[in-house]
Amino acid sequence: MHPERLMFRMMKKIILVFCAALLLTPGLQAGGKKLDVSALNALVSEYRVREDFDVMHLGFLSTALLKRAARLGADDPDAKTAVSLIDGVRNLTVVDFSDSPASVRASFASRVQRILRSSEMLMEMKDGESCMRIYGLLDEMAGKLRDLVLFDESGTLLLAGGSISLDALQSLSESL
């Protein structure tokens, strides 16, 4: 099996689990509090100069190229649905701070939590000592999930600016 195909399948499984959980979670409400994405980006900029912080940021042009490449590689219907899922994403920032000293991880996590305190948490997934919290704005009227934030204080922060189609999420979860 080609490495790209294997990577796509792994990514698809992660997205599907996330999507299924979101769609099956009772009580998600539209119109949650606005995420302060600019404050999160400013915090990431402050810490990105550290050698123990790995930050990958894809702006509008990079994500457009990534989406185009993904569309070209999408052969089967499930792959096309998965690609349509990220169609509204404008930018993506991934931060890995798991190699940082415990005091730095704790300081960064505390500041992220302070910023996210006023935001609506959509769900929380626990796996052993790891706890992934997912934040975003659910806009049922537009059928979109906007400004997605995934945060695990043990070392991961993902910021996806833009929107994800709820119809694409549902189509993808039905194909499980």
Side-chain angles (χ1 to χ4, degrees):
M1 182 176 292
H2 295 292
E4 298 88 20
R5 192 89 167 134
L6 182 62
M7 178 70 138
F8 176 76
R9 284 189 178 181
M10 286 175 34
M11 205 166 76
K12 179 180 167 187
K13 286 181 183 180
I14 291 169
I15 291 171
L16 289 176
V17 168
F18 167 70
C19 297
L22 258 182
L23 290 172
L24 298 174
T25 302
L28 287 181
Q29 308 226 343
K33 301 172 185 171
K34 178 89 172 109
L35 286 168
D36 194 353
V37 177
S38 61
L40 288 171
N41 283 323
L43 180 63
V44 169
S45 292
E46 180 183 328
Y47 276 81
R48 85 179 307 148
V49 296
R50 297 183 56 92
E51 288 184 21
D52 49 11
F53 264 68
D54 292 323
V55 178
M56 180 193 68
H57 177 76
L58 300 175
F60 180 77
L61 183 59
S62 300
T63 51
L65 293 172
L66 181 66
K67 289 186 280 190
R68 181 170 292 257
R71 276 189 211 96
L72 292 174
D75 298 339
D76 60 74
D78 288 344
K80 289 180 182 179
T81 304
V83 169
S84 71
L85 184 70
I86 62 167
D87 202 37
V89 175
R90 294 184 318 264
N91 57 61
L92 183 68
T93 302
V94 180
V95 181
D96 177 9
F97 57 101
S98 57
D99 293 335
S100 298
S103 61
V104 174
R105 277 195 320 267
S107 171
F108 183 77
S110 172
R111 292 180 67 187
V112 169
Q113 288 173 345
R114 199 172 315 128
I115 293 169
L116 293 173
R117 187 178 308 145
S118 63
S119 304
E120 181 117 13
M121 182 173 38
L122 298 177
M123 67 183 300
E124 181 177 83
M125 298 181 295
K126 293 184 179 183
D127 181 24
E129 291 185 23
S130 178
C131 179
M132 177 71 71
R133 291 181 180 93
I134 301 170
Y135 299 83
L137 299 173
L138 186 62
D139 185 350
E140 290 182 41
M141 297 293 284
K144 304 275 184 190
L145 178 60
R146 301 184 190 283
D147 294 335
L148 186 65
V149 176
L150 285 85
F151 177 59
D152 181 351
E153 58 189 64
S154 66
T156 307
L157 175 67
L158 181 138
L159 308 168
S163 63
I164 296 172
S165 166
L166 293 177
D167 290 338
L169 278 174
Q170 188 167 3
S171 296
L172 204 54
S173 67
E174 288 172 356
S175 69
L176 282 176

